[in-house]
Amino acid sequence: MIAGSVTQQLHFEKHLLGGSSQSLKIAFIVDPLGSLKAWKDTSIAMMRAAEKHGHDVYAIDCASLCWRRPEAGHHGGVFGEAIHLHLRPDDHDWYRETGRETMPLKAFAAVVMRKDPPFDFEYITATWLLERAEANGVRVFNRPRALREHSEKLAITEFDEFTPPTLVARNMQQIQHFIDEQRDIILKPLDGMGGSQIFRIHRNDPNRNVILETLTHEGQRTVMAQQYLPEISQGDKRILLIAGKPVPYCLARIPKAGETRGNLAVGGTGVAQDLSPRDREIAEKLGPILFKRGLMLVGLDVIGNHLTEINVTSPTCMVEIRQQTGFDAAGAFITAIEHACGVS
């Protein structure tokens, strides 16, 4: 870890009041383990950090969640098939399974919900089940109700003093008028991730109508249109909030040549950098508000001086930030979990 990051890490974790001497059982609700890419995956970075902190790490496939009514001979509540893991440093062979059994979620000190979108009915069902687990005393991060109530695209409408000119609509005439007004826009679905189905439309684009028809399903699906921000050439910045406080470095995801999207999933290059004064202003305004609602980890997307998304389902970029700056955001997140569990 570089010297500056040592100071930043100590300062950050001091604010979190962290440092655990007690081993916890922590379950991570994730997609199937075989689909995770250890060389870049934030969930795996969290698991490794948890084990490094001395905790027992379990993975639960979201598809295995279930609820059962208590009755004679059976405990009730929310259960999942829990895989006990030993984490390895080899990104090509990153874990060993040391046990597997169906366990009640109340057996864990903390449950970390890291299932990737799509935010479909199955995802919503998972939040309902996790909310029942919460009612039985289970600590879930991020809180299921907060996940359900914070659309990653629409959540910015609460903080419109930071957003670019934006329209949320499915009426094609309204969107057409917005394009004429702004002249150059970004159009995206409300349920996408990783840069999927994001279009840049110029006022004179010959494909303008067909793009609108396709994305809105002929006016049947609501989409988001935003003014195109040329500052994207300097990167779509991911700012992480942990327990309401901004990580001191963001990851600017810079589009590859000929591309308007900076997402790493579509070939963008991640460059870690210090937060700008504007980045910090946005983060320090939103952080306490979102944390109070049960959002332990949030990823803000900022282009230039404008907030474009608030990511709450499975924010990423911890691995790249640590590789480039030495700042261990995954470790800081586990410290926040320890504090929330009362063992700091």
Side-chain angles (χ1 to χ4, degrees), residues 79-94:
F79 293 77
E81 185 179 55
I83 304 171
H84 191 208
L85 299 179
H86 168 61
L87 285 303
R88 306 181 71 252
D90 183 351
D91 286 343
H92 300 287
D93 184 20
W94 60 271

Side-chain angles (χ1 to χ4, degrees), residues 26-37 41-48 57-65 80-85 87 94-95 105 111-117 123 126 130 140-141 147 313-316 333:
I26 303 178
F28 293 81
I29 298 179
V30 291
D31 290 298
L33 295 179
S35 70
L36 305 184
K37 298 177 175 62
D41 193 276
T42 289
S43 297
I44 294 174
M46 291 175 174
M47 293 179 195
R48 285 171 167 164
V57 175
Y58 294 77
I60 296 176
D61 187 333
C62 193
S64 76
L65 291 177
E81 185 179 55
I83 304 171
H84 191 208
L85 299 179
L87 285 303
W94 60 271
Y95 73 93
L105 295 195
V111 173
V112 181
M113 176 55 161
R114 290 285 302 176
K115 169 75 176 70
D116 281 341
Y123 193 102
L130 291 173
V140 183
F141 309 97
L147 287 174
T313 52
S314 54
T316 61
F333 176 75

Side-chain angles (χ1 to χ4, degrees), residues 264-278:
L264 302 183
V266 293
T269 300
V271 178
Q273 57 191 39
D274 294 328
L275 299 186
S276 72
R278 176 64 166 179

Side-chain angles (χ1 to χ4, degrees), residues 282-297:
I282 295 172
E284 290 180 350
K285 171 65 180 294
L286 272 62
I289 296 170
L290 299 175
F291 180 51
K292 187 176 180 180
R293 296 173 184 172
L295 294 168
M296 175 73 78
L297 177 63

Side-chain angles (χ1 to χ4, degrees), residues 10-84:
L10 292 173
H11 181 72
F12 191 91
E13 296 202 13
K14 180 181 178 182
H15 276 291
L16 296 177
L17 304 175
S20 172
S21 60
Q22 179 180 338
S23 177
L24 305 175
K25 285 185 177 180
I26 303 178
F28 293 81
I29 298 179
V30 291
D31 290 298
L33 295 179
S35 70
L36 305 184
K37 298 177 175 62
W39 57 274
K40 68 171 186 176
D41 193 276
T42 289
S43 297
I44 294 174
M46 291 175 174
M47 293 179 195
R48 285 171 167 164
E51 188 173 84
K52 185 177 179 181
H53 280 221
H55 306 307
D56 285 328
V57 175
Y58 294 77
I60 296 176
D61 187 333
C62 193
S64 76
L65 291 177
C66 63
W67 176 88
R68 178 164 185 158
R69 191 188 74 172
E71 54 189 89
H74 294 285
H75 296 292
V78 180
F79 293 77
E81 185 179 55
I83 304 171
H84 191 208

Side-chain angles (χ1 to χ4, degrees), residues 147-169:
L147 287 174
R148 231 178 18 251
E149 293 183 352
H150 282 80
S151 161
E152 297 189 320
K153 304 292 191 297
L154 285 172
I156 66 168
T157 61
E158 182 180 353
F159 307 100
D160 57 2
E161 68 268 34
F162 298 124
T163 66
T166 300
L167 172 72
V168 178

Side-chain angles (χ1 to χ4, degrees), residues 96-115:
R96 291 285 184 268
E97 180 179 329
T98 59
R100 180 189 295 244
E101 63 176 308
T102 297
M103 297 174 63
L105 295 195
K106 63 184 178 182
F108 300 100
V111 173
V112 181
M113 176 55 161
R114 290 285 302 176
K115 169 75 176 70

